[in-house]
Amino acid sequence: MKSLSGTIRILSSLCCKGSSLCFLAAIVFVTGVAAGAPVIGQDNQRLTPIQREIERQRLRLNSGEVEERRDALMRLGALRRPEASKVAAAGLGDLAPIVRVTAAHAILSLSPAEATDLLTPLLLDKLEFVRREAAYALGQTRSRTAVSRLANLLTSDKEVGVRAAAAVALGEIGDESAVPTLTQVLAGRPGKKKKAKAENEFVMRAAAHSLGQIRSRAGVEVLIAALTDDTNDNDVRREAATALGLIGDPSAGPALRAAVDSNDPYLSEAAREALRLLKLAGK
């Protein structure tokens, strides 16, 4: 107690002579220390190295500099830990689009359900860039609960990049419930204008690729139709051939053998490889 009272007198004299408020502050400070209250830096010392890193990046998220906030989110995502992703979720509402997009990829260490709930609102973002990256991120969650949202995006979004991202994401998730929407897109016909046709084929190619990833025989018929339709772009036909090989249904054999004779060497090779896979599947 002698040392405690002595410390109080020292702090009082250093603070402001004759001031009862300053004297009271000294008592609060010293008695708090005596009671074991933490002082500056003490809490931080109790953290693990990972926790300290997460806290450093959390503080950086308050920066006025866009690039610093983005870098903080990238570092949080690189930790690949749920606790880091929880902190990164704060960036999903950032005013800067690039920060929102970075946050979308930084939260993927959360459970699929949590990540899906957080990412879904970004599918309604005004910017195509944000919606597209949110779709890709949803694919990485592998969450079946995201299928209906992505299917709706695939058929309704005005931007071709967003629709293609939705198609890719559905393939990444790999749930068979996405097959009807993907086959609908693949069976669609391009627009009359050259630009519209090229854009539509970009989405069709993504849909064919995803049908191959899902490997459902429910997609075989439309894939065969896409392969044999020589008005389709060769990129679409190649993806259809590759998808048929992955699914391994023998009914695709005749269409693939015909595609081997294509003038496009890449389509011919894709068909040849698909036939090889069909033979392996039949053994």
Side-chain angles (χ1 to χ4, degrees):
M1 287 299 295
K2 288 183 179 180
S3 60
L4 179 59
S5 60
T7 304
I8 292 174
R9 287 195 298 272
I10 293 171
L11 287 172
S12 178
S13 62
L14 290 174
C15 184
C16 46
K17 293 181 181 180
S19 169
S20 59
L21 288 175
C22 192
F23 185 70
L24 179 60
I27 293 175
V28 171
F29 176 82
V30 176
T31 54
V33 173
V39 295
I40 297 173
Q42 187 171 326
D43 278 350
N44 194 50
Q45 291 174 358
R46 294 175 181 174
L47 300 177
T48 66
I50 289 291
Q51 289 172 329
R52 283 198 293 272
E53 175 64 11
I54 291 173
E55 178 61 15
R56 276 195 295 269
Q57 303 312 323
R58 184 188 69 78
L59 293 174
R60 294 181 70 208
L61 291 178
N62 296 320
S63 170
E65 297 295 327
V66 169
E67 191 54 38
E68 184 168 2
R69 299 198 302 275
R70 177 173 175 267
D71 183 72
L73 289 166
M74 291 176 66
R75 291 174 185 271
L76 286 167
L79 291 174
R80 300 185 184 280
R81 299 176 71 95
E83 58 268 39
S85 284
K86 284 184 182 293
V87 172
L92 294 170
D94 200 279
L95 292 177
I98 187 62
V99 176
R100 296 199 296 277
V101 164
T102 307
H105 293 283
I107 67 166
L108 294 177
S109 292
L110 294 172
S111 69
E114 287 180 288
T116 298
D117 286 344
L118 289 169
L119 289 168
T120 298
L122 293 184
L123 298 180
L124 301 175
D125 198 280
K126 293 181 179 180
L127 294 180
E128 180 268 347
F129 169 54
V130 178
R131 298 198 306 278
R132 185 187 71 214
E133 292 302 315
Y136 282 132
L138 277 170
Q140 291 180 279
T141 69
R142 307 292 196 275
S143 174
R144 293 182 176 182
T145 60
V147 170
S148 61
R149 297 177 178 92
L150 288 166
N152 181 64
L153 198 69
L154 173 57
T155 57
S156 64
D157 201 277
K158 295 180 180 179
E159 298 293 337
V160 64
V162 177
R163 297 199 304 276
V168 170
L170 289 170
E172 290 291 321
I173 294 171
D175 189 78
E176 196 165 353
S177 64
V179 171
T181 303
L182 290 167
T183 55
Q184 175 189 336
V185 170
L186 183 56
R189 287 293 177 264
K192 294 180 180 179
K193 294 182 180 180
K194 186 175 181 180
K195 180 180 179 182
K197 180 179 179 181
E199 289 181 347
N200 192 72
E201 287 171 344
F202 180 60
V203 180
M204 289 172 66
R205 187 165 72 245
H209 182 82
S210 289
L211 286 169
Q213 286 180 296
I214 297 172
R215 303 190 183 198
S216 169
R217 295 197 174 190
V220 169
E221 184 178 346
V222 74
L223 285 166
I224 291 175
L227 172 62
T228 56
D229 186 351
D230 57 11
T231 66
N232 280 335
D233 186 85
N234 281 338
D235 284 341
V236 175
R237 299 177 71 193
R238 283 196 295 268
E239 285 294 350
T242 300
L244 288 167
L246 291 172
I247 295 171
D249 191 302
S251 64
L256 289 168
R257 282 191 287 273
V260 169
D261 296 327
S262 170
N263 291 329
D264 175 19
Y266 300 105
L267 174 56
S268 177
E269 180 56 32
R272 188 175 290 106
E273 175 61 17
L275 285 169
R276 187 184 71 81
L277 292 175
L278 284 187
K279 288 180 183 178
L280 291 176
K283 290 182 179 180

